[in-house]
Amino acid sequence: FMTDARKTEDNLTLEYERKFSDTENNIVGIYRRSSNAAYDRSLNVERPWLLDLRTEGFFDRYSKQWHPKHTLTGGVEYYKDQVLDYQDLAAKYSDGTVISKAVYLQDVWQLADSVKAVGSLRQDWNSYAGSKLSPALSLEYQPSEKVLYTLAYTEYFAPPKQLQIFSPDYGDEALKPEEGRVYEAGLTYVPESSSLKINVFHRDAADVIAVDISLPKYLRRYANIAHEKATGFTVSASKRFSEKWRSLVAYTQTKVDTERKNSSPVSTMIPHGELLLDLMYEYDKYSVLLQGRGVFDQANGRGENRFANNNYWVWNASLNYKLQKNTRLYVKVNNIFNQFYSNW
């Protein structure tokens, strides 16, 4: 019953980098993103729905190679998430603010010519979700120029977003952050004019946030409703057939298991299978890209009625023309065959 929808966004990022020497540099930046979405009228009410959000903040990152085998990087971040205005048929809200701060330290250690380790610690503070110290560790082994092996372990801290906290209908200021662990292993093989990459991962997440649809509609709210595990892999291969033609094929499969299978829509946010096909032609100042994206079981085994289409293909094409070394003109057509689909 709502018509005349509109949405505007603006994003601003400014960065300044200073290189003190070949072994020392610093980057400082500011960031701002605003999003305003609304339905301007319905059958009975003017402006029945409005959502105005803003995120702004800054960061500072310093890096120094303090030893021939060690490079140290440290930094600080500060972000402010705001709900400037919220309105629907039942409620209004404005001026909800969440402050996020963090400091981190990372060391890249070249153990040997073919072995590199990266360790880091990150301390987060969130004005609603509390604080957490998160470690991460990765190891790379490159026995030759053509082969690279990787292993990684990461802990993460994901506070609720401002709308999940402040929404008059669904928000909850008592939400806990999602916390989890990610384990990854990868292989990259690069023979002449082609490459093969394989990556596998497992994510174990606690206190996943979503609307609790097990409750009656008038009681539904965002909640920490699930302990979720996700396991998957990505396989990609690229090949250059000639100076003019090259291609890429990539397939990702993810299986998500949630402890509340009949009440939580969390695992439907990631499709079970996704296939990406790229074909590129380059000649002189021109380049043409044809790209296909296939999605299989969009709801990840949780029911086809959650999306407009549970399986679909979308095809895009673009043409680029290089005016000069640093300037390109392009034209792009998305969804050539007018596929009806939705995602989240």
Side-chain angles (χ1 to χ4, degrees):
F1 66 95
M2 294 190 288
T3 60
D4 294 339
R6 59 181 169 82
K7 183 177 183 180
T8 58
E9 291 186 4
D10 64 85
N11 298 274
L12 171 68
T13 304
L14 295 175
E15 295 183 5
Y16 174 73
E17 180 175 5
R18 183 175 181 185
K19 191 172 184 180
F20 301 102
S21 66
D22 292 338
T23 61
E24 185 179 12
N25 74 296
N26 188 77
I27 300 177
V28 61
I30 60 173
Y31 171 83
R32 173 171 170 164
R33 178 181 184 273
S34 297
S35 173
N36 182 285
Y39 284 99
D40 280 339
R41 63 176 68 89
S42 72
L43 296 176
N44 306 310
V45 182
E46 287 292 317
R47 307 197 71 185
W49 188 84
L50 173 71
L51 178 61
D52 192 0
L53 303 176
R54 179 191 297 165
T55 295
E56 54 190 357
F58 69 88
F59 71 89
D60 192 358
R61 183 169 70 248
Y62 172 79
S63 181
K64 181 175 177 59
Q65 184 179 358
W66 61 276
H67 184 275
K69 294 186 176 182
H70 291 271
T71 300
L72 195 67
T73 300
V76 297
E77 297 177 1
Y78 176 92
Y79 289 98
K80 180 169 66 173
D81 297 309
Q82 293 178 282
V83 179
L84 300 178
D85 199 359
Y86 177 93
Q87 176 179 313
D88 61 26
L89 294 176
K92 294 183 179 181
Y93 190 88
S94 62
D95 196 26
T97 300
V98 183
I99 303 295
S100 298
K101 297 176 284 187
V103 297
Y104 60 88
L105 193 65
Q106 173 186 278
D107 184 48
V108 179
W109 184 8
Q110 194 72 44
L111 294 162
D113 291 342
S114 59
V115 182
K116 181 171 70 174
V118 181
S120 67
L121 285 172
R122 178 184 173 93
Q123 176 66 57
D124 283 278
W125 295 273
N126 183 273
S127 57
Y128 277 84
S131 62
K132 178 176 170 54
L133 180 66
S134 305
L137 179 65
S138 67
L139 188 67
E140 295 183 2
Y141 173 54
Q142 189 170 10
S144 70
E145 292 184 355
K146 295 182 178 181
V147 179
L148 174 67
Y149 300 95
T150 60
L151 287 173
Y153 168 79
T154 305
E155 293 185 14
Y156 70 90
F157 171 82
K161 304 299 183 183
Q162 62 262 54
L163 187 63
Q164 295 171 335
I165 296 173
F166 299 120
S167 170
D169 296 323
Y170 291 99
D172 187 352
E173 296 188 13
L175 284 172
K176 295 184 290 185
E178 177 184 326
E179 299 183 28
R181 298 176 175 87
V182 181
Y183 308 85
E184 292 183 83
L187 165 66
T188 302
Y189 176 57
V190 188
E192 291 184 6
S193 72
S194 61
S195 69
L196 173 67
K197 297 181 180 181
I198 303 172
N199 176 269
V200 296
F201 81 95
H202 176 74
R203 173 172 57 88
D204 192 338
D207 294 322
V208 176
I209 300 171
V211 175
D212 191 348
I213 62 173
S214 66
L215 299 173
K217 284 188 175 183
Y218 62 90
L219 292 177
R220 291 178 183 177
R221 305 182 70 82
Y222 283 105
N224 299 102
I225 63 172
H227 179 199
E228 185 177 86
K229 294 183 179 181
T231 304
F233 66 86
T234 297
V235 178
S236 65
S238 64
K239 174 69 175 178
R240 180 174 285 278
F241 300 100
S242 66
E243 291 185 358
K244 298 178 181 179
W245 291 95
R246 58 188 173 96
S247 65
L248 169 72
V249 179
Y251 177 73
T252 298
Q253 181 170 298
T254 309
K255 177 61 177 175
V256 184
D257 293 312
T258 304
E259 64 183 14
R260 297 177 63 180
K261 296 185 182 236
N262 296 322
S263 61
S264 166
V266 179
S267 61
T268 66
M269 297 180 184
I270 303 171
H272 181 62
E274 187 169 355
L275 180 63
L276 186 69
L277 303 175
D278 282 358
L279 181 62
M280 178 170 281
Y281 175 79
E282 297 172 306
Y283 176 71
D284 194 21
K285 296 182 178 181
Y286 294 91
S287 63
V288 181
L289 173 65
L290 177 66
Q291 182 181 79
R293 176 175 170 262
V295 171
F296 315 103
D297 190 5
Q298 170 83 348
N300 212 302
R302 301 296 302 283
E304 296 187 6
N305 61 339
R306 297 190 184 277
F307 294 92
N309 249 317
N310 203 39
N311 301 280
Y312 59 87
W313 276 93
V314 175
W315 291 90
N316 309 316
S318 63
L319 170 66
N320 285 265
Y321 176 73
K322 185 185 291 185
L323 287 175
Q324 53 187 4
K325 182 180 179 181
N326 297 317
T327 308
R328 286 177 180 266
L329 292 176
Y330 71 90
V331 59
K332 187 174 182 180
V333 180
N334 289 328
N335 200 4
I336 299 171
F337 300 108
N338 197 30
Q339 172 65 52
F340 180 55
Y341 72 97
S342 63
N343 55 31
W344 181 265

